[in-house]
Amino acid sequence: MDDLLAARLQMALSLGFHIIYACIGMVMPFFMAVAHFKWITTGNDIYKNITKAWSKGVAIFFATGAVSGTMLSFELGLLWPGFMEHAGPIFGMPFSLEGVAFFIEAIFLGFFLYGWGRFNTWFHWFTGVIVGVSGLASGILVVSANAWMNSPAGFDYVDGQYLNIDPIKAMFNDAWFTQALHMTLAAIAATGFAVAGVHALMMLRQRNIAFHLHAFKIAATFGGVAALLQPLSGDLSAKDVATRQPAKLAAMEAHYHTQRSAPLVIGGIPNSKTKTVDFAIELPGMLSFMTYGSFDAEVAGLDKIPESDQPPVPVVHYAFQIMVGIGMFLVLLALTVLIAFRKRAWFQEKWFLTLFALATPLGFVAVEAGWTVTEVGRQPWILQGILRTKDAVTPMPGIAWTFYLFTAVYISLSFVIVFLLKRQIQMVPRLYDVQPSTKAA
């Protein structure tokens, strides 16, 4: 394994784990705040118990997210010094502000966890809201930095020099809004359906049904609303990518040849030798329409991109298909939730709960696939059109060994998290004296 591949794999591994912790850390505090609000306004102790249970999960993921995020910060400098040398002064602002948001989140999480019975009820609830807002801001700021890599702005690049630096323009680059919106909705949908799936599984096992039913409804509502909005966000993102990164769009669709009335490709196996997609379903003119609003519009293919500037088509195409496929399934799941709120008996139907239990990991699979599209689709650039990934990697030898070490660390950390969460779920009845019930709320 050469050092470039090892460095890329190590970064991919770190981001792949951290993005899950970050998504949960961005979203779970809002679930917690809603449950807390409902307890304050209704006096139903089940909501208080849900709030306390979820707050422990928030604390677990906050700690793991802090550790993995710190490791990523070091990796940027250690693995990609050629990138940080020039990019640091330009896009350092969102990272600095992210640090401030993280600091605020840590303080108010402490207030919330230890504020039971010590603060005014509404002030205590407000501290939980601040945890959510600061966590969400933290995530958006990091996505802004990543968007800058896809859409460089805030400087002039002249003869290899980065001049006239404007950090504000860099932070609010052309891609930041669409990426931040898409990532936020993805985080809400993935976390919502994952949490709902866990509670659905507990109901299938006939454990503390009233507790888990109330929790399921909150999580599924968040996940369902985000899933229904996500296709609109995806459409904005695709149009933005078509304008700024035509090579990425072509790889996403395995669109090898420039043409008018370009078809939308569903599934299929890209063949890089013949420049075709085998076994695909094609919808004539739909790619042109979805990208430019006209069935007759021309869509640039990979034949307009030099081979040295093309991303690996199969990886990007498969990841994109997985993301879209799961996204459409989650839309159907969201519609099922809407129907269930009218036909309340569904909340206790075995098929309904089984469906959600099986869907528990799907949202995060889609998040990982989407992140793969974003990062691999930009290759061979680390900074789109300006700096190649191979020119930014560290000259330090032996990166493969750090990759193996980090792999072991992250796998170990994952086992610890699973153990802690499993124990927390099992302790629910003992901690909160939740009485089993089969009555729908």
Side-chain angles (χ1 to χ4, degrees):
M1 183 187 300
D2 62 52
D3 287 342
L4 175 59
L5 178 60
R8 290 183 63 190
L9 288 175
Q10 183 173 328
M11 204 71 191
L13 174 79
S14 301
L15 283 167
F17 276 93
H18 178 70
I19 197 171
I20 295 177
Y21 308 147
C23 285
I24 297 173
M26 288 167 60
V27 177
M28 276 295 292
F30 290 107
F31 296 4
M32 181 180 75
V34 168
H36 196 182
F37 178 83
K38 291 179 78 69
W39 170 62
I40 294 172
T41 55
T42 67
N44 188 338
D45 280 343
I46 288 180
Y47 289 118
K48 179 181 180 180
N49 296 336
I50 292 171
T51 305
K52 287 188 172 184
W54 279 348
S55 68
K56 294 182 185 298
V58 168
I60 290 171
F61 282 105
F62 176 82
T64 53
V67 172
S68 59
T70 302
M71 293 170 71
L72 274 170
S73 298
F74 283 115
E75 285 179 341
L76 277 173
L78 292 173
L79 298 177
W80 312 104
F83 172 66
M84 294 303 295
E85 177 186 1
H86 303 291
I90 304 173
F91 81 145
M93 179 172 286
F95 277 125
S96 300
L97 294 176
E98 192 272 339
V100 174
F102 176 80
F103 181 67
I104 294 172
E105 184 182 7
I107 292 174
F108 279 87
L109 180 59
F111 283 166
F112 187 84
L113 293 175
Y114 298 103
W116 290 98
R118 295 180 175 87
F119 292 146
N120 170 275
T121 301
W122 283 108
F123 177 76
H124 186 213
W125 171 80
F126 179 71
T127 62
V129 173
I130 295 298
V131 172
V133 171
S134 56
L136 182 62
S138 179
I140 289 175
L141 287 164
V142 171
V143 171
S144 172
N146 178 264
W148 178 79
M149 298 165 69
N150 291 316
S151 179
F155 65 95
D156 295 324
Y157 188 66
V158 182
D159 297 328
Q161 299 295 315
Y162 297 77
L163 307 174
N164 303 321
I165 294 172
D166 183 348
I168 299 295
K169 190 175 180 180
M171 184 166 67
F172 296 106
N173 56 80
D174 291 341
W176 86 269
F177 177 75
T178 54
Q179 277 197 217
L181 177 64
H182 198 61
M183 186 67 235
T184 300
L185 290 174
I188 296 172
T191 305
F193 284 117
V195 173
V198 171
H199 290 291
L201 180 61
M202 293 300 103
M203 284 190 281
L204 282 171
R205 295 178 177 178
Q206 296 294 307
R207 296 179 183 175
N208 311 306
I209 291 178
F211 174 92
H212 291 295
L213 178 58
H214 284 71
F216 173 89
K217 288 182 177 180
I218 294 173
T221 299
F222 270 95
V225 171
L228 291 172
L229 293 175
Q230 190 67 298
L232 301 177
S233 167
D235 181 63
L236 290 175
S237 296
K239 286 180 169 61
D240 181 61
V241 168
T243 302
R244 294 181 299 95
Q245 296 176 294
K248 179 184 287 186
L249 178 70
M252 287 160 54
E253 294 291 340
H255 185 59
Y256 287 103
H257 306 288
T258 301
Q259 65 183 103
R260 292 186 176 277
S261 299
L264 181 69
V265 174
I266 300 175
I269 301 174
N271 189 324
S272 298
K273 292 183 179 180
T274 62
K275 308 299 182 184
T276 57
V277 185
D278 301 326
F279 312 112
I281 299 172
E282 293 188 356
L283 304 180
M286 283 302 297
L287 181 59
S288 294
F289 177 76
M290 294 176 69
T291 305
Y292 298 111
S294 169
F295 287 101
D296 192 47
E298 181 178 276
V299 179
L302 289 165
D303 55 358
K304 283 197 172 183
I305 310 295
E307 284 198 16
S308 60
D309 294 344
Q310 294 180 13
V313 176
V315 175
V316 180
H317 178 71
Y318 294 142
F320 180 67
Q321 295 294 313
I322 290 170
M323 179 187 70
V324 173
I326 292 177
M328 291 298 99
F329 176 77
L330 294 184
V331 167
L332 294 177
L333 212 57
L335 295 175
T336 306
V337 173
L338 291 178
I339 297 173
F341 274 105
R342 294 182 63 85
K343 298 184 177 182
R344 293 180 177 272
W346 279 19
F347 285 116
Q348 299 190 42
E349 293 286 347
K350 185 175 180 180
W351 67 266
F352 179 83
L353 298 174
T354 301
L355 184 64
F356 277 87
L358 292 174
T360 299
L362 292 184
F364 287 115
V365 174
V367 167
E368 298 285 8
W371 199 253
T372 299
V373 172
T374 299
E375 298 302 293
V376 179
R378 189 179 61 245
Q379 298 307 311
W381 306 98
I382 191 170
L383 185 58
Q384 181 67 44
I386 294 175
L387 181 64
R388 292 180 183 271
T389 306
K390 65 182 180 64
D391 296 326
V393 72
T394 178
M396 181 181 70
I399 298 300
W401 292 106
T402 66
F403 166 63
Y404 300 141
L405 175 62
F406 273 63
T407 301
V409 169
Y410 276 112
I411 291 175
S412 301
L413 185 61
S414 298
F415 278 116
V416 171
I417 293 170
V418 170
F419 169 76
L420 291 174
L421 291 176
K422 182 179 179 181
R423 189 180 68 168
Q424 176 60 29
I425 293 170
Q426 291 174 337
M427 290 176 66
V428 163
R430 285 179 286 167
L431 285 173
Y432 308 120
D433 192 28
V434 179
Q435 298 300 318
S437 171
T438 57
K439 183 179 179 180

